[in-house]
């Protein structure tokens, strides 16, 4: 293998400084979704808001769900819960604008199993 024209002979790994281990984003162990898991609710009767529960809800809707429906399913009424949901959605999903449904949350590929 030769050096590419205009190249330095240094590969991508050598040309870019590596992030220290503690700064690199490390995804948690991604477990398959359990479709038979029971709904978890807190003391107020609202569904528990976690990355796993949000992922499961979107997965049960074939990987795509309108954001409004997701908000309703988790009974989002307070700004704190909405911020938490948005943070989970940013990590788990990409957003797509649909002319009829509005903002659609689409599960990222590595969360679809």
């Amino acid at each position: 293998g030769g050096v590419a024209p205009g190249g330095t002979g240094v590969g991508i790994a050598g040309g870019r400084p590596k992030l220290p281990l503690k700064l690199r984003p490390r995804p948690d162990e991604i477990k398959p979704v359990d479709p038979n898991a029971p709904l978890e609710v807190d003391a107020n009767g609202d569904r528990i808001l976690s990355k796993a529960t949000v992922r499961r809800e979107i997965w049960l809707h074939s990987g795509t769900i309108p954001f409004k429906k997701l908000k309703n399913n988790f009974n989002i009424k307070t700004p704190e819960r909405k911020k938490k949901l948005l943070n989970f959605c940013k990590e788990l999903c990409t957003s797509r604008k649909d002319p009829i449904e509005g903002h659609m949350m689409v599960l990222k590929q590595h969360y679809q199993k």
Side-chain angles (χ1 to χ4, degrees), residues 49 70-79 81-83 85:
L49 197 54
L70 195 59
K71 261 178 51 175
N72 289 340
N73 288 355
F74 282 97
N75 196 24
I76 304 297
K77 302 279 188 223
T78 63
R81 277 179 67 88
K82 184 175 181 180
K83 185 176 179 182
L85 178 67

Side-chain angles (χ1 to χ4, degrees), residues 31-36 52 55-57 59-60 107 111-113:
K31 299 181 181 102
V33 174
D34 179 12
N36 300 318
R55 176 179 171 227
R56 178 177 180 267
E57 188 62 34
W59 184 84
L60 287 172
L107 269 182
Y111 289 114
Q112 289 181 356
K113 291 188 169 121

Side-chain angles (χ1 to χ4, degrees), residues 77-111:
K77 302 279 188 223
T78 63
E80 296 84 31
R81 277 179 67 88
K82 184 175 181 180
K83 185 176 179 182
K84 209 171 170 185
L85 178 67
L86 280 171
N87 286 336
F88 291 137
C89 284
K90 284 178 187 174
E91 183 175 344
L92 294 170
C93 311
T94 56
S95 181
R96 184 173 48 114
K97 185 89 169 139
D98 185 87
I100 297 164
E101 298 282 349
H103 285 283
M104 302 291 288
M105 297 290 112
V106 182
L107 269 182
K108 290 180 181 174
Q109 186 174 4
H110 52 279
Y111 289 114

Side-chain angles (χ1 to χ4, degrees), residues 15 18 20 23-25 29 31-32 37 39 42-43 50 52 55 58 61-64 82 85 91 98 100 103 107:
K18 286 193 168 196
L23 294 180
R24 288 187 200 163
E29 179 66 32
K31 299 181 181 102
L39 292 180
D42 62 12
S50 71
R55 176 179 171 227
I58 300 168
H61 287 276
S62 303
T64 305
K82 184 175 181 180
L85 178 67
E91 183 175 344
D98 185 87
I100 297 164
H103 285 283
L107 269 182

